[in-house]
Amino acid sequence: MNIGFIGLGNMGGPMAANLAKAGHVVTGFDMADVSIEGVKMAETAAEVAKGADVVITMLPNGNILRAVAGDIIPAMSQGAALVDCSTVDVDSARAVAQQASDANLLSVDAPVSGGIGGAAGGTLTFMAGGSPAAFAKAEPLFDIMGQKAVHCGDAGAGQAAKICNNMVLGVTMIATCEAFALADKLGLDRQKMFDVVSTSSGYSWSMNAYCPAPGVGPQSPADNDYQPGFAADLMLKDLRLSQQAAESADADTPMGELAQALYTQFVESEDGQGKDFSAMLPRFEKRGRS
């Protein structure tokens, strides 16, 4: 395919490189001056879109996505597909999908899970929303950039799945960190705590696969001074999206709301900026009951 790729940062760059390595013709655009192996760089986003079978975007937020869509959709050929892999608000995803449909284009909102390592290794998971025809067109590319793609439903469903998943993740990580901090103060050995919880009803991804306690469980950012695998800043972004969606849908999400408040405090008023989202554990270690 002829593929356009807009947004060649830490995630988009390696994703585009993997498509080029697989033999696709990839033309890229980014506001920064970047060079990606196998990718021909264009002067504008609209130039990327001309003649492309698929245009993939990986952008910071919904406002930027809407602006880029306004530039590229008029330049795209009828029947081409716009595949947005950004994590944005559901309303923006649906608005762009409607704009694409009005122009006789296919569209997929397909946020990803797997981080920078998954982007480089081609092991991302894609959560996709859009028509069956749009998903079918994008699926061969998902197979190159990732290890799994789930068609979650119509436009916006991919974003909804990502936001709900990460709300669960944020809440469970806070609970996991609280539990370790409490175990410390009760004199319970962390390894014993892990051995019990990881094999009983407290089992979770936050505990078993991404344990926030250094030296306990599999290797995780906790073992690297909480250098980010998934930054607290990004968790805060996703929790804010979850609460924006909850407001729009009139959904009661008190735990998600509290998780957003705690990560806001951690990132903006404490020392969480630039750290992994599991660095909540040393935060709780230092605090008493207030």
Side-chain angles (χ1 to χ4, degrees), residues 83-144:
V83 179
D84 178 48
C85 294
S86 322
T87 297
V88 302
D89 59 288
V90 175
D91 290 342
S92 290
R94 288 176 174 162
V96 168
Q98 185 60 56
Q99 190 178 354
S101 177
D102 292 344
N104 293 315
L105 301 174
L106 300 170
S107 69
V108 183
D109 56 285
V112 304
S113 177
I116 296 169
T123 58
L124 296 169
T125 294
F126 292 84
M127 294 149 268
S131 69
F135 180 76
K137 185 155 189 171
E139 190 172 19
L141 305 183
F142 295 152
D143 289 343
I144 294 166

Side-chain angles (χ1 to χ4, degrees), residues 113-244:
S113 177
I116 296 169
T123 58
L124 296 169
T125 294
F126 292 84
M127 294 149 268
S131 69
F135 180 76
K137 185 155 189 171
E139 190 172 19
L141 305 183
F142 295 152
D143 289 343
I144 294 166
M145 297 184 288
Q147 62 182 354
K148 185 175 184 180
V150 179
H151 187 200
C152 298
D154 294 334
Q159 297 297 345
K162 173 71 181 286
I163 290 167
C164 290
N165 179 77
N166 280 19
M167 185 173 74
V168 173
L169 179 59
V171 170
T172 56
M173 180 55 78
I174 289 171
T176 303
C177 293
E178 286 183 358
F180 269 111
L182 175 59
D184 289 346
K185 294 188 178 185
L186 294 174
L188 177 61
D189 178 79
R190 284 183 170 182
Q191 184 63 53
K192 299 301 183 185
M193 158 87 169
F194 177 83
D195 291 344
V196 170
V197 176
S198 66
T199 57
S200 59
S201 56
Y203 177 106
S204 72
W205 189 89
S206 296
M207 175 63 75
N208 290 58
Y210 208 89
C211 185
V216 179
Q219 280 284 120
S220 73
D223 299 304
N224 189 31
D225 196 29
Y226 296 100
Q227 293 302 304
F230 183 52
D233 316 54
L234 295 179
M235 174 52 75
L236 176 56
K237 172 192 171 183
D238 289 354
L239 287 167
R240 284 174 168 161
L241 288 173
S242 79
Q243 295 315 291
Q244 182 180 341

